[in-house]
Amino acid sequence: MGSTGGPPTGRERRSDPETGRERGDGAHSHPERGSHPGRGQGADAGRDRRGGTDAAGVVVLVGCAVWSLVSAGGREGRPEGVLLAVFAVTAGYACGRISGSLLPVAGFVVTAAGAVAVAVVSHDGVVPGAAAGAVTPLGQAGAVAALLVLGTGAACCAASAARTGGGRTASRLFASAVACSALVLASVPAFAVCLAVLLSSLAAARIRRRTAVLAALALATGIVAGTTWAVAENALPSGLATSVEASLTEHRVALWRDAVTLAEQDPVRGVGPARFGRLSPTSVQSPASGSKPHSAPLQQAAEQGVVGVALLAAVFGWVLYGLGRSPRPAPVALSAAATLTAVAVLACVGNVLSFAPVTTGAALLAGLATARPPREGHDL
């Protein structure tokens, strides 16, 4: 007769919902394996959670599309750009979910290589997918920086997802090379952001509880967005305002202040999609700067009002929530979260979301990081 009071065996241990990994069973444990009696129930619960996350995403994205039509109604607004962005996010996310289910590591590698390739092509030319007249040297540099951040993050995710030491080492070296390329293709600040993503991924390898980290990333993004609004409102203390504005240009600050002024004209609906360039005095006086205020939250506030800002925040919140519920191990989800947070920060102070490769790449990375990998097989 055996004792019934001892510790449970590896087959009796359950998967940890925070980490996506089993609490035991050695190196060969699998996140989908558990005790046989509860195995079906666990799979059903996982499907329910993912189904709820997907349903929330559908509601948010449909809301973005519908509200762009509402805010454009009765005036010369052009919602086509918003609708195309929603389509790009939806297509990228769906492709990521499919690719991540088939190639849980190689999908990240291909995404990283593609982001770097587009960044290289865009370095001396126009970023593919950008609206005519919307590309400026500053905006283009921001888009290239965002693409390199996505490439670095995707390579870091590949390293976190790899099952072999060689695959992890190769992916880390690739991520380091992409980060270093930012010094040539973008700027020193872009390199700093890529390096921050790389270091965050290394730290994520030691983290198993993802909720607090995701909350901190959301808070950091909110602080940056709030700071941009404070700069536009000239609400910062004089010393802090001087140091913050020193890293910006007078032209960009003027665009931000025009966005706040337009937002105050119609706080709920805004002035209408794609109308900032025609109504902003700073933009009219400098057509070469494009028709965007170089800040996604401020653009939403000006063109689609407070509802547009809430929907933009909801999209980011949905992405982080999906990563929190992802069946992927915590290091993979947190590496993707750090990358997408870096892109969100760049979007708060730049024009990066106006470029289709950036929005599509971000959605693709989110889809890869929330996909359920196959039960068996080794990708790398």
Side-chain angles (χ1 to χ4, degrees):
M1 296 179 62
S3 171
T4 59
T9 65
R11 292 183 176 273
E12 294 172 334
R13 299 178 187 180
R14 299 292 191 273
S15 296
D16 189 328
E18 285 280 345
T19 66
R21 295 180 177 178
E22 286 188 353
R23 299 191 181 104
D25 205 20
H28 298 287
S29 62
H30 194 283
E32 294 185 10
R33 295 176 186 170
S35 63
H36 182 69
R39 185 172 181 177
Q41 296 176 1
D44 290 340
R47 281 193 291 270
D48 291 341
R49 289 195 297 268
R50 293 193 303 276
T53 303
D54 293 343
V58 170
V59 171
V60 171
L61 293 176
V62 170
C64 292
V66 171
W67 185 251
S68 69
L69 298 174
V70 172
S71 61
R75 41 195 166 179
E76 297 179 357
R78 300 189 61 182
E80 296 89 346
V82 178
L83 297 177
L84 288 174
V86 171
F87 175 76
V89 170
T90 304
Y93 186 77
C95 290
R97 288 287 291 268
I98 296 171
S99 301
S101 297
L102 299 175
L103 299 170
V105 179
F108 287 119
V109 175
V110 172
T111 299
V116 174
V118 176
V120 171
V121 171
S122 306
H123 180 237
D124 295 320
V126 175
V127 176
V135 177
T136 68
L138 183 60
Q140 183 172 327
V144 171
L147 288 167
L148 293 175
V149 168
L150 287 171
T152 302
C156 289
C157 289
S160 298
R163 302 190 181 202
T164 64
R168 287 189 291 272
T169 300
S171 297
R172 293 289 182 201
L173 290 175
F174 184 26
S176 300
V178 175
C180 291
S181 69
L183 292 172
V184 177
L185 299 176
S187 62
V188 173
F191 167 73
V193 176
C194 292
L195 183 60
V197 170
L198 181 58
L199 295 177
S200 298
S201 177
L202 293 173
R206 300 178 177 274
I207 298 175
R208 293 295 176 264
R209 300 291 175 179
R210 63 184 81 177
T211 304
V213 178
L214 293 173
L217 292 174
L219 178 61
T221 306
I223 291 173
V224 174
T227 302
T228 61
W229 188 276
V231 170
E233 288 275 20
N234 199 22
L236 292 177
S238 58
L240 180 59
T242 301
S243 67
V244 171
E245 293 181 15
S247 60
L248 304 170
T249 62
E250 293 182 3
H251 181 73
R252 183 177 301 216
V253 173
L255 288 172
W256 288 3
R257 289 174 179 164
D258 286 351
V260 170
T261 301
L262 293 176
E264 291 172 349
Q265 294 180 10
D266 192 339
V268 178
R269 293 177 63 204
V271 298
R275 297 191 71 202
F276 176 85
R278 286 175 282 172
L279 300 177
S280 163
T282 304
S283 182
V284 170
Q285 293 171 8
S286 303
S289 66
S291 58
K292 310 292 182 183
H294 294 273
S295 174
L298 292 176
Q299 180 178 344
Q300 286 292 96
E303 295 185 346
Q304 298 187 50
V306 66
V307 177
V309 176
L311 287 169
L312 180 65
V315 171
F316 184 61
W318 162 63
V319 170
L320 292 185
Y321 179 75
L323 291 171
R325 310 294 286 180
S326 171
R328 293 278 198 162
V332 177
L334 293 179
S335 296
T339 304
L340 295 173
T341 298
V343 173
V345 168
L346 291 175
C348 288
V349 298
N351 201 25
V352 302
L353 295 187
S354 297
F355 302 92
V358 176
T359 53
T360 306
L364 180 62
L365 179 62
L368 287 166
T370 55
R372 177 171 291 279
R375 291 174 179 268
E376 302 295 340
H378 299 275
D379 198 9
L380 276 180

